[in-house]
Amino acid sequence: MPELSQETEQGRAVLSFGVAEVTGPSMVPTLYHGDWLVVRYGARVKPGDVVVLRHPFQQDLLVVKRAVELREGGWWVLGDNAYAGGDSTDYGTVPEELVLGKAWFRYRPRRDGQRSPFALARWALSAARPVFADRSASKRLRAR
């Protein structure tokens, strides 16, 4: 994945885009293993956004989580799948400098078993979608 662009254009920072592949079940049902994301690096993050960040203890590992709230020390991030783990409940807040950008668009590749016309039509209607912020993320935080 590309790093944040430090280039400027007429005094304004140019935000770069990149792609990231989702691996693992931590963001189910929003994102599934094998989904591809269009990520806007350097974008301003708000609570509820799906973000790409460097793992606080293993910074060569990039992870996708939902930013829940900004606390002292950084962002509190959670996976949408409460049973998968690997979020701030395990490693605490994530410093803001480790949050690289936010997901804007999700593409779900077609599976090999999708051959019937009905399955292809269903895939075509749902394969590409914007990734919306979930403003109810604070409810999940209170439940934990």
Side-chain angles (χ1 to χ4, degrees), residues 1 16-20 37-41 51-52 100-105:
M1 265 200 273
S16 63
F17 287 88
V19 294
L37 298 175
V38 174
V39 179
R40 187 167 186 182
Y41 292 97
V51 295
V52 173
L100 302 178
K102 70 180 187 176
W104 281 51
F105 205 75

Side-chain angles (χ1 to χ4, degrees), residues 20-38 48-51 64-68 78-84 102-109 111 126-137 140 144:
E21 183 178 9
V22 176
T23 57
S26 71
M27 288 300 291
V28 170
T30 306
L31 303 171
Y32 289 90
H33 180 82
D35 285 356
W36 285 88
L37 298 175
V38 174
D49 288 340
V50 174
V51 295
V64 178
K65 300 293 177 198
R66 190 172 300 277
V68 177
L78 296 174
D80 286 357
N81 181 353
Y83 302 107
K102 70 180 187 176
W104 281 51
F105 205 75
R106 186 256 312 152
Y107 170 73
R108 186 162 291 151
R111 293 187 213 131
S126 67
R129 293 245 166 112
V131 177
F132 294 113
D134 180 3
R135 300 296 177 214
S136 66
R140 284 194 303 277
R144 290 188 178 193

